[in-house]
Amino acid sequence: LPSLAVAGLVGAVAVVALLNVPQQVRAAPADPAPEAGVQVEGVGTASGRPDILRVTIGVETSAENVDEALTAADEAARRVLAALRVADVPERDVQTVNVSVWPRHGHEGEEITGYTARHDLLVTLRSVDQAGETIAEVVEAGGNAARVQSLAYALEDDEAQQEQARAQAFADARRKAEQYAELAGRELGDLVWVNEQVTPSGPIPYAGDSAAGGEAVPLAPGSTTVTVTA
């Protein structure tokens, strides 16, 4: 009797199993025909408290000519870097991701009235509880040129969450496969294939044109969720 293949996607995991009618011993099954089965999807999630914070901190300055704008941006960037060193942020966790200069135009859009220069640093903060204080100190060092572009919490090692989400996704897919087998009057057979997709939680945006130092920036880490779909 023909067998029915059931594809089960597991929370970022695709699972295919054979549905068989009880029968006598037979040779190893050949690849099932595409029309011989159905595909199901399972989803699993697991959360954890973020242990790192990635924040983009920049400086932006304007002047009448390129050299003045770039020099002012360089000086502000050096102050920011110095503040990060004082805050014990390792050099390996600070990366320049953008240096740009562009002209400013007048109301008519043709005459160049000056230039703006910008530096952006991607900073990884590993002390999440102290991140708000560190950001405030760095912004204070940058002065009015400081910009906080964005931030995103993350788990540096989310393997445990992936394993938990994977198990949930697989179980979810199996339950669906078993139901389809029952509805089809078959028995759930061999696993045929598995495909996995893992989706971490997206970044949490935070933006501001500038910020004055002094008090720590209030931050709420919340939790980071890993999703597996199959």
Side-chain angles (χ1 to χ4, degrees), residues 73-114:
D74 289 345
E75 293 175 352
R78 290 191 184 95
R79 295 197 301 270
V80 167
L81 289 169
L84 289 169
R85 287 194 293 271
V86 171
D88 294 326
V89 177
E91 290 186 5
R92 63 184 173 86
D93 289 335
V94 181
Q95 182 180 35
T96 298
V97 292
N98 173 57
V99 176
S100 56
V101 181
W102 64 92
R104 292 184 289 111
H105 294 85
H107 296 296
E108 300 299 326
E110 296 181 359
E111 181 184 1
I112 295 177
T113 60

Side-chain angles (χ1 to χ4, degrees), residues 210-224:
S210 63
E215 298 182 0
V217 175
L219 301 175
S223 62
T224 295

Side-chain angles (χ1 to χ4, degrees), residues 116-139:
T116 298
R118 185 179 183 106
H119 286 228
D120 286 316
L121 301 170
L122 178 59
V123 181
T124 299
L125 300 177
R126 300 181 185 279
S127 180
V128 175
D129 293 337
Q130 300 297 319
E133 182 178 345
T134 300
I135 292 173
E137 292 172 351
V138 171
V139 168

Side-chain angles (χ1 to χ4, degrees), residues 37-200:
V38 295
Q39 179 172 297
V40 297
E41 180 174 288
V43 178
T45 62
S47 300
R49 189 178 189 277
D51 54 9
I52 61 173
L53 174 63
R54 295 188 177 96
V55 56
T56 302
I57 299 176
V59 295
E60 186 176 293
T61 60
S62 296
E64 292 185 357
N65 59 64
V66 172
D67 289 341
E68 291 178 355
L70 191 55
T71 297
D74 289 345
E75 293 175 352
R78 290 191 184 95
R79 295 197 301 270
V80 167
L81 289 169
L84 289 169
R85 287 194 293 271
V86 171
D88 294 326
V89 177
E91 290 186 5
R92 63 184 173 86
D93 289 335
V94 181
Q95 182 180 35
T96 298
V97 292
N98 173 57
V99 176
S100 56
V101 181
W102 64 92
R104 292 184 289 111
H105 294 85
H107 296 296
E108 300 299 326
E110 296 181 359
E111 181 184 1
I112 295 177
T113 60
Y115 294 85
T116 298
R118 185 179 183 106
H119 286 228
D120 286 316
L121 301 170
L122 178 59
V123 181
T124 299
L125 300 177
R126 300 181 185 279
S127 180
V128 175
D129 293 337
Q130 300 297 319
E133 182 178 345
T134 300
I135 292 173
E137 292 172 351
V138 171
V139 168
E140 183 176 16
N144 291 333
R147 304 288 186 269
V148 179
Q149 187 68 19
S150 65
L151 64 81
Y153 288 100
L155 288 164
E156 187 168 26
D157 183 3
D158 62 358
E159 184 61 32
Q161 284 74 23
Q162 285 193 39
E163 290 180 359
Q164 183 179 345
R166 184 177 297 119
Q168 290 183 9
F170 195 94
D172 184 35
R174 184 177 182 85
R175 282 193 298 269
K176 293 175 183 177
E178 289 173 342
Q179 182 182 18
Y180 276 112
E182 182 180 356
L183 292 171
R186 303 290 184 90
E187 292 182 355
L188 191 62
D190 299 330
L191 178 69
V192 176
W193 57 265
V194 175
N195 180 46
E196 177 180 275
Q197 297 175 351
V198 179
T199 306

